[in-house]
Amino acid sequence: MDKKIIFMVLVVMFLSEILLQFNEIAGFVCYMLLITGILLTLINIERVDGSAKLMIILMIFPMIRILELFLHLSFYWRVSMVYYLFLFLTLFYFIKFGFEFKPKRGGFGWIVLCIILGILLGLFGKNFSGVERSILLITIIPIIVFSEELFFRGMVQESIEKSYGFSYSIIITAMFYAIASLGLGIGLILFFILFSLILSIIYGVTKNIWLTMIISTIVHVFLFVL
């Protein structure tokens, strides 16, 4: 798959998220066009290789965002339902496409480093966060973190790295994660770019998704609970 296609997907996602901030119908239409484009691309693929798998994986997020538009529930229950479905789809394709956990590093020193990084990033990101906080979210933060890290690091980053290399996978995954986080507010995008770059680098070096989950859990607690 041409790199241009990945960039086009990211651009349309970015445009969709910006539109959703101002007009949900326009954002919905933009995301539907993205899904249609991905499906049309998949029609022309004769076998489900690495490129096709990546396109299918990338389609998960727009589907989740569209579903979220139709859930008129309280903040806690909307987030819960969205992430449980996100977890289901992520686990399904993680297993179906044969992804595996293959940690290379992850000793005590790495764990301490990740805890410190998580606290520092959490304190820093809290200054930019204007999102709704709820102590109830502590009950679903493990689901949020596990599903996000499995999706972005365990699937997206792994797929891109196999096709285009280490550096490209880190940059694209960071951009993808930041764009996916735009629903929390445009002001947080720079923080989430930095946050995702750090997570992607750590995962790329260690291949240990549990380390990125440690950092992400701490940051989520700072942003959404404290």
Side-chain angles (χ1 to χ4, degrees), residues 27-190:
F28 169 81
V29 171
C30 200
Y31 263 135
M32 285 302 298
L33 290 173
L34 174 60
I35 292 174
T36 302
I38 292 175
L39 289 174
L40 290 175
T41 302
L42 290 172
I43 288 175
N44 298 320
I45 295 177
E46 296 181 356
R47 63 188 181 88
V48 182
D49 56 9
S51 298
K53 289 178 181 178
L54 179 57
M55 294 300 288
I56 292 171
I57 291 168
L58 290 177
M59 194 166 57
I60 292 175
F61 181 77
M63 292 171 61
I64 293 296
R65 286 295 281 145
I66 287 174
L67 169 67
E68 191 175 3
L69 294 176
F70 294 94
L71 292 178
H72 301 290
L73 302 170
S74 66
F75 177 71
Y76 174 79
W77 289 109
R78 185 173 73 253
V79 172
S80 297
M81 290 188 66
V82 165
Y83 272 98
Y84 273 110
L85 180 58
F86 185 39
L87 176 62
F88 172 79
L89 290 174
T90 300
L91 279 174
F92 176 81
Y93 284 107
F94 186 89
I95 296 170
K96 184 176 180 62
F97 290 157
F99 290 98
E100 297 178 301
F101 294 109
K102 294 182 178 179
K104 292 182 179 179
R105 300 177 180 86
F108 180 74
W110 278 100
I111 294 173
V112 172
L113 174 63
C114 289
I115 291 173
I116 294 172
L117 277 173
I119 294 172
L120 292 175
L121 285 169
L123 290 170
F124 178 66
K126 193 176 180 181
N127 296 322
F128 300 93
S129 178
V131 297
E132 183 176 344
R133 291 182 172 87
S134 172
I135 191 65
L136 289 175
L137 286 179
I138 200 73
T139 62
I140 58 171
I141 279 180
I143 302 297
I144 294 173
V145 169
F146 184 75
S147 58
E148 286 185 348
E149 290 308 303
L150 194 65
F151 179 75
F152 288 104
R153 249 58 63 176
M155 293 172 66
V156 174
Q157 185 171 336
E158 278 291 324
S159 299
I160 296 175
E161 184 176 343
K162 288 179 182 178
S163 299
Y164 305 109
F166 178 79
S167 299
Y168 191 77
S169 69
I170 288 175
I171 295 170
I172 294 301
T173 303
M175 291 173 61
F176 188 17
Y177 186 87
I179 292 171
S181 302
L182 273 174
L184 300 174
I186 297 176
L188 276 172
I189 188 169
L190 293 178

Side-chain angles (χ1 to χ4, degrees), residues 203-219:
Y203 178 75
V205 171
T206 67
K207 294 300 178 182
N208 192 332
I209 202 169
W210 304 111
L211 293 177
T212 63
M213 286 182 185
I214 290 173
I215 299 175
S216 188
T217 299
I218 295 171
V219 171

